[in-house]
Amino acid sequence: MAFLEISNLQKDYAGNRVVENFNLAVEQGEFISFLGPSGCGKTTVLRMVAGFETPSAGSIRIDGKDVVNLKPNQRNIGMVFQAYALFPNMTVAQNLAFGLKVAGKSKAEIESTVQEMLALIKLEELGQRYPFQLSGGQQQRVALARALAVKPKLLLLDEPLSALDAKIRVSLREEIRSIQRKLQITTIFVTHDQEEALSMSDRIVVMHKGKADQLGTPFEIYNQPKTRFVASFVGTINVLEGVVTNPQTGSFKLNGTELSLGRSLSKLKMGDSIALALRPEAASLGQVARKAGQLQGIVQDVNFLGSVIRVRVKVGESVLSLDGFNQPLVAPPKAGAQVIVSFSPEELLVLAD
Amino acid sequence: MSVISEPVDATATVIAKPRRSMAWLGILPFLIFALLFLILPTLNIVIGAFQNPAGEFTLANIQKLFQPSILASYWISIKVSVASALLGCLIGFAIAAAIVLGGLPAWIRSPIMTFSGVASNFAGVPLAFAFLATLGRLGLVTVLLREWFGINIYAHGFNILSFWGLTLTYLFFQIPLMILIITPALDGLKREWREAAAILGANGFQYWTMVALPILWPALLGTFALLFANAFGAVATAYALTGSSLSIVPIVLFAQIRGDVLQDPHLGYALAFGMIVVTIIANTIYLWMRARSEKWVKS
Amino acid sequence: MNFWRSNRFWAWIALSFGILYFALPLIGTFEFSLRMKRGEYSLEAYRVILGDPRFQATFLYSVMMALLTIVVGVLLVVPTAYWVRLKLPRWRPVVEFITLLPLIIPAIVIVFGYIRMYNTSSALPLTGSAFGTDILMVAGYTVLALPYMYRAVDTGLRTLDITTLTEAAESLGANKITILAKIILPNVLVAILSGAFLTFAIVIGEFVFAALLNRPAFGPFMQLIGANRAYEPAALAVIAFSITWLCMGLMQLVTRLQQHTQVKQFR
């Protein structure tokens, strides 16, 4: 049995179903992300796990125990909020000690745990500071340590990085992940930032309109998106519309050229239209020997992003994005140039609606 | 803060130097007015408290304040002020908490705030009339309690012209004042603080005693000091309610100014000086405690 | 949830207690004011009061005092608050402290100071004539209104962020008069009006200044009636309460009107 088991979870607000038939099993020590746009229900699921919202139906089991009827303060869960939520009237050390104090731990134990936590987040010198004297990144590290100080069974992170600057965001997500690995604590991380989810998680739940669209490792989510929503929300995609010519061989027609996916399209029949996704990095400029797919187009604009150059090419009515690595000796194409976009049909992703 | 503001100040002095004396003039009317009609009259009383009729310095007036009858006046004044401020804070807080946190319908808030604005300004003579008409010997509540429930509150020692009667009357403007001031402070309590406390294992009581009340403490203290001064200096309500049967300090002073009942004008100044001292002490305690409890607030 | 239900239960208890405490004196006063004629409810007390020439005279006098106080207060507070915000930010703590003093120093002490400082044998014998005493009355009422007036106007200016607005408008070529007339004044007007209604509510029934300076104002008149009559005081209390209510209602009205126009501007 999994460490955290959520079954058939459902939440209705004034007639609106904001979470529907949500199922998830999380193993001990796993780092799971809930990824989705705002209003997709990811925070609501998290708040039901924490106990701030009562499910309309379904069950939540932590370590084999049904917690739905437990109050938040009986669940032994750690949580970090988006807006830090440090107690402004307490020093860093007092904030860290809060959970231990209400649990009635001894002074000596509190003191040693606070020191341990300060060391964990590398803020040993700042124990006597008040929250307003800390930067946003420091505050969020204190909030993390405060949540961990009570040795929770489960750690919930509710968009903990979204209020921070870009640079701090990156360094803090590495720090959170390394602390999580060190403590082997089961963690749920809610975010709308796909980069965060992809870089930090063991597995990702992509949520959309109150439902879990797909559950998988970052690699699976990115490379085998099951729905059009997942494909478009995680990373950038180009959608190509083709017509199936032979479902058994996976052949289809695209801009008059017949190509093959190399795998059968069992659910479709001849003449069906098919939506195919192409990742920008899977397409190349110019003819490439191994890549059978070829499209004619005109360069619309070129964005130099550093290690990567993104070229947008107008093909027929649609615009395709192409990512290529920067090559110091090769200048990127100019806007207006006639180019050929090539790709391997096998790398196309078939999108279900 | 100093790091940021210093360069700004430096440029301001450089550029505005010739204009500086002009800028001064802008608030001169205000300063003159405050001097003439607020500060000097007050100082005048303070000085008078330390003078004998010949205009020489003396401490005799202050010493005379310590005679039992005057001490008793201060004592009952302070008691009424503390009681009405304390009860005003407690009841006002309970009602404000009910509005903000109690899950009452949202539309209820606006009429309560409006009414609080009205009631907090409904003091003085008419307030006394209202309470006489309600809790006086022939007042509505007195009569109803007697006729419906057979309770004669006057037989049980209640009198509107007493300490508790006055306190009860003062609450009519103290409670709404508290509601007006503390409601925004309660709004300022973030939901995340409550949730963070809960998820860390705290129950509701622990959240209130360890997080919410310490955060609200400066606002509570400040309101208490304000309510205290509000009651301590109030004359009209008490005078219209009790005449001179309850000798709180403002009433004694009122009678002294009108007819020199103490037969010593300089004792009157000392009495007024004593009132200033009490309100200043109250406000100093407030400022001191606020500074102590507000270390965590951005300077 | 059970937790919420009990919370709401206590909220209703607190609220009901409050409503009871505040409604009873109002109902009691109103009921009492109707009892003048034996055995029936009548408006007799109101008829007697409103027909009393002293009522008309004192009420008119207090209205005049209130209006004068508002004018003096506005002329004193608005330029000062604007100037402090714009040019003398370092003076702000001082000015704010002075405006808060009337909340600390009891009014009776201030009026006592007037009587001592401006008596007939002083350099400025204002208490010697009715006109001079009226000046003291208006000055005293302005002092009483200072904390409310200043805070209302200052808050109005703060939400405007006049420094940035002034600079922005100047950089767009507007001169100071345009800025004051087109941007600052319309918004501060609401603050001024709400301060004015509050001042009116405070001054109209004020007792201590008028009684000790011996002027024929509405406050001392009410007290006199209270000492000698039975039912008329209740009628007076109802009238005074209605005036306070009217002032606060108008105050809310102008504030709401302003919010309305602000929303419109943002659209």
Side-chain angles (χ1 to χ4, degrees):
Chain A
M1 183 181 244
F3 185 73
L4 168 67
E5 278 212 345
I6 302 174
S7 334
N8 302 317
L9 199 65
Q10 181 181 316
K11 179 72 184 173
D12 302 317
Y13 275 124
N16 287 326
R17 188 149 295 176
V18 291
V19 173
E20 191 173 350
N21 193 25
F22 186 92
N23 293 284
L24 179 67
V26 183
E27 295 304 324
Q28 161 70 39
E30 228 184 344
F31 192 111
I32 298 271
S33 289
F34 290 178
L35 175 64
S38 62
C40 71
K42 58 189 192 300
T43 297
T44 310
V45 173
L46 195 78
R47 290 174 62 80
M48 286 193 277
V49 174
F52 299 134
E53 311 276 354
T54 316
S56 305
S59 77
I60 301 169
R61 294 177 158 271
I62 301 175
D63 209 359
K65 190 169 149 200
D66 193 334
V67 296
V68 165
N69 291 317
L70 292 182
K71 285 182 181 175
N73 58 357
Q74 299 164 328
R75 294 192 182 193
N76 196 15
I77 287 176
M79 182 156 175
V80 177
F81 299 82
Q82 179 175 351
Y84 320 138
L86 293 179
F87 304 130
N89 57 322
M90 300 182 197
T91 62
V92 168
Q94 286 166 339
N95 263 286
L96 297 182
F98 183 86
L100 303 162
K101 221 164 140 187
V102 297
K105 297 278 194 269
S106 74
K107 262 208 161 120
E109 189 181 345
I110 293 176
E111 178 60 26
S112 77
T113 312
V114 166
Q115 287 311 319
E116 186 190 322
M117 286 298 139
L118 283 171
L120 185 72
I121 54 170
K122 303 187 194 79
L123 292 177
E124 286 97 331
E125 292 82 33
L126 303 185
Q128 294 317 306
R129 294 271 185 94
Y130 283 91
F132 80 90
Q133 295 167 308
L134 305 180
S135 71
Q138 288 171 330
Q139 287 190 52
Q140 205 52 298
R141 275 146 78 193
V142 174
L144 176 67
R146 182 179 68 177
L148 292 170
V150 291
K151 310 249 177 317
K153 289 190 209 159
L154 184 64
L155 179 63
L156 307 179
L157 307 170
D158 185 8
E159 307 234 9
L161 304 175
S162 55
L164 301 171
D165 296 339
K167 264 218 165 115
I168 298 162
R169 230 161 32 212
V170 172
S171 72
L172 196 54
R173 80 186 183 209
E174 284 159 9
E175 195 171 336
I176 289 175
R177 184 60 166 141
S178 86
I179 288 174
Q180 187 267 339
R181 281 217 176 89
K182 197 192 293 181
L183 302 178
Q184 277 300 308
I185 182 166
T186 315
T187 302
I188 297 178
F189 179 87
V190 162
T191 183
H192 62 268
D193 184 327
Q194 40 116 352
E195 197 181 309
E196 278 174 11
L198 291 172
S199 65
M200 295 172 80
S201 322
D202 292 321
R203 286 190 296 160
I204 297 173
V205 182
V206 183
M207 289 192 65
H208 180 45
K209 291 184 177 164
K211 289 186 202 160
D213 263 27
Q214 188 173 359
L215 167 67
T217 64
F219 185 85
E220 288 164 356
I221 295 286
Y222 190 80
N223 292 310
Q224 295 140 37
K226 279 192 186 146
T227 65
R228 188 186 279 251
F229 172 78
V230 174
S232 61
F233 190 75
V234 182
T236 308
I237 54 157
N238 301 300
V239 178
L240 308 170
E241 303 287 348
V243 177
V244 178
T245 51
N246 186 343
Q248 274 73 47
T249 58
S251 299
F252 61 95
K253 218 169 197 166
L254 183 72
N255 273 20
T257 323
E258 175 132 355
L259 298 165
S260 173
L261 281 172
R263 53 186 192 269
S264 71
L265 292 161
S266 48
K267 283 177 189 160
L268 296 168
K269 56 183 191 298
M270 203 173 113
D272 280 355
S273 66
I274 180 172
L276 298 153
L278 176 65
R279 292 286 184 199
E281 68 273 16
S284 328
L285 272 183
Q287 293 192 339
V288 178
R290 292 171 288 104
K291 297 189 172 178
Q294 288 188 358
L295 297 165
Q296 280 271 348
I298 296 168
V299 174
Q300 202 171 45
D301 53 34
V302 178
N303 286 315
F304 190 78
L305 305 173
S307 63
V308 169
I309 299 171
R310 172 160 293 180
V311 180
R312 302 209 305 152
V313 179
K314 194 162 173 32
V315 177
E317 288 303 302
S318 51
V319 177
L320 304 185
S321 293
L322 283 71
D323 284 354
F325 283 117
N326 171 43
Q327 291 164 296
L329 300 178
V330 180
K334 294 212 161 46
Q338 284 268 356
V339 289
I340 289 172
V341 177
S342 49
F343 57 91
S344 304
E346 295 83 8
E347 289 181 4
L348 290 173
L349 315 168
V350 181
L351 301 177
D353 284 313
Chain B
M1 182 177 162
S2 59
V3 181
I4 297 166
S5 64
E6 259 169 26
V8 178
D9 284 354
T11 53
T13 38
V14 171
I15 296 164
K17 210 162 207 173
R19 275 197 289 167
R20 236 180 153 193
S21 53
M22 301 283 286
W24 241 89
L25 287 173
I27 59 167
L28 200 59
F30 173 80
L31 292 178
I32 291 174
F33 176 87
L35 215 57
L36 276 181
F37 296 110
L38 177 59
I39 296 165
L40 286 182
T42 309
L43 283 180
N44 218 299
I45 296 296
V46 174
I47 292 164
F50 291 94
Q51 281 177 336
N52 62 20
E56 294 152 344
F57 174 81
T58 177
L59 287 174
N61 304 318
I62 307 296
Q63 274 168 356
K64 283 185 212 155
L65 284 183
F66 290 86
Q67 55 187 282
S69 66
I70 291 184
L71 274 185
S73 293
Y74 276 106
W75 182 229
I76 183 121
S77 259
I78 289 172
K79 269 201 319 199
V80 169
S81 307
V82 168
S84 74
L86 207 60
L87 287 173
C89 278
L90 284 175
I91 300 169
F93 185 85
I95 295 175
I99 303 170
V100 178
L101 311 164
L104 296 179
W107 58 262
I108 230 163
R109 180 177 178 142
S110 171
I112 289 182
M113 295 308 276
T114 310
F115 180 83
S116 296
V118 177
S120 65
N121 286 297
F122 184 63
V125 181
L127 177 64
F129 294 167
F131 270 80
L132 280 172
T134 308
L135 284 166
R137 283 185 190 279
L138 294 172
L140 180 71
V141 170
T142 315
V143 171
L144 287 185
L145 281 175
R146 201 176 50 220
E147 287 180 359
W148 291 3
F149 303 101
I151 304 168
N152 185 349
I153 49 174
Y154 275 80
H156 285 85
F158 177 83
N159 190 338
I160 192 72
L161 314 177
S162 69
F163 164 77
W164 280 111
L166 196 59
T167 304
L168 206 59
T169 309
Y170 280 6
L171 283 178
F172 199 86
F173 56 81
Q174 300 280 56
I175 293 172
L177 198 55
M178 176 70 178
I179 294 176
L180 284 180
I181 298 176
I182 210 68
T183 302
L186 283 172
D187 283 331
L189 289 177
K190 291 189 190 157
R191 188 182 72 174
E192 285 93 343
W193 291 335
R194 179 194 279 271
E195 292 180 349
I199 205 83
L200 286 165
N203 57 31
F205 180 76
Q206 285 165 324
Y207 161 72
W208 274 101
T209 51
M210 294 168 78
V211 181
L213 283 176
I215 289 172
L216 292 173
W217 191 234
L220 290 171
L221 266 178
T223 319
F224 179 80
L226 187 69
L227 296 194
F228 176 87
N230 208 15
F232 190 74
V235 183
T237 313
Y239 188 74
L241 193 65
T242 69
S244 43
S245 65
L246 193 68
S247 61
I248 56 172
V249 181
I251 298 259
V252 175
L253 186 59
F254 185 84
Q256 161 68 14
I257 299 171
R258 269 209 156 162
D260 195 15
V261 291
L262 302 170
Q263 281 140 21
D264 181 352
H266 285 269
L267 182 55
Y269 304 141
L271 204 61
F273 172 70
M275 285 186 79
I276 302 175
V277 170
V278 171
T279 52
I280 285 179
I281 289 175
N283 277 279
T284 312
I285 293 174
Y286 155 58
L287 288 174
W288 177 66
M289 289 186 69
R290 194 177 78 165
R292 265 184 44 145
S293 64
E294 237 184 17
K295 288 171 295 195
W296 42 272
V297 166
K298 286 185 187 77
S299 47
Chain C
M1 242 176 16
N2 202 2
F3 171 70
W4 276 112
R5 197 177 298 158
S6 70
N7 230 8
R8 193 172 295 165
F9 170 73
W10 286 111
W12 278 114
I13 294 275
L15 194 67
S16 316
F17 179 81
I19 289 173
L20 207 64
Y21 172 77
F22 285 100
L24 278 178
L26 300 176
I27 297 168
T29 311
F30 185 64
E31 196 264 354
F32 203 82
S33 75
L34 300 177
R35 271 202 256 167
M36 194 163 177
K37 276 189 179 167
R38 250 169 215 287
E40 59 165 319
Y41 282 140
S42 70
L43 295 173
E44 184 67 10
Y46 294 90
R47 198 189 57 76
V48 171
I49 277 297
L50 295 175
D52 190 328
R54 288 173 304 169
F55 166 82
Q56 293 154 7
T58 55
F59 192 76
L60 204 65
Y61 177 84
S62 281
V63 169
M64 282 304 295
M65 285 292 118
L67 294 180
L68 281 171
T69 303
I70 289 164
V71 171
V72 173
V74 168
L75 289 179
L76 202 62
V77 163
V78 175
T80 306
Y82 177 72
W83 202 246
V84 166
R85 282 245 166 225
L86 198 64
K87 297 277 178 182
L88 299 168
R90 274 192 242 190
W91 277 80
R92 246 185 83 198
V94 179
V95 173
E96 260 176 20
F97 177 73
I98 292 174
T99 61
L100 289 177
L101 274 180
L103 292 181
I104 301 173
I105 304 171
I108 189 167
V109 175
I110 296 172
V111 67
F112 198 9
Y114 287 5
I115 292 168
R116 180 169 148 87
M117 194 168 149
Y118 300 108
N119 64 33
T120 41
S121 54
S122 70
L124 198 62
L126 288 175
T127 52
S129 65
F131 179 69
T133 317
D134 285 346
I135 291 178
L136 279 183
M137 291 275 284
V138 172
Y141 288 162
T142 308
V143 167
L144 290 190
L146 208 52
Y148 310 102
M149 203 67 164
Y150 191 88
R151 214 174 52 171
V153 172
D154 198 50
T155 314
L157 288 175
R158 186 178 58 209
T159 53
L160 272 186
D161 190 8
I162 52 158
T163 317
T164 316
L165 266 183
T166 307
E167 280 168 5
E170 272 173 345
S171 75
L172 292 170
N175 61 28
K176 279 236 165 64
I177 296 166
T178 317
I179 299 165
L180 264 172
K182 290 252 164 94
I183 300 163
I184 311 279
L185 212 69
N187 283 282
V188 177
L189 199 66
V190 170
I192 292 173
L193 279 176
S194 63
F197 288 126
L198 193 59
T199 307
F200 192 91
I202 294 170
V203 171
I204 193 73
E206 201 282 337
F207 173 71
V208 179
F209 272 82
L212 290 178
L213 290 172
N214 224 347
R215 296 301 296 150
F218 189 48
F221 168 73
M222 285 196 286
Q223 195 273 327
L224 186 75
I225 296 291
N228 298 308
R229 303 288 188 85
Y231 299 100
E232 289 91 331
L236 274 175
V238 171
I239 293 170
F241 190 80
S242 312
I243 293 170
T244 314
W245 191 280
L246 189 72
C247 287
M248 295 299 126
L250 287 172
M251 211 171 122
Q252 283 235 325
L253 194 70
V254 291
T255 318
R256 238 172 245 168
L257 281 180
Q258 181 204 26
Q259 282 164 355
H260 191 63
T261 51
Q262 271 182 348
V263 171
K264 265 192 184 159
Q265 276 168 10
F266 281 119
R267 278 178 193 160

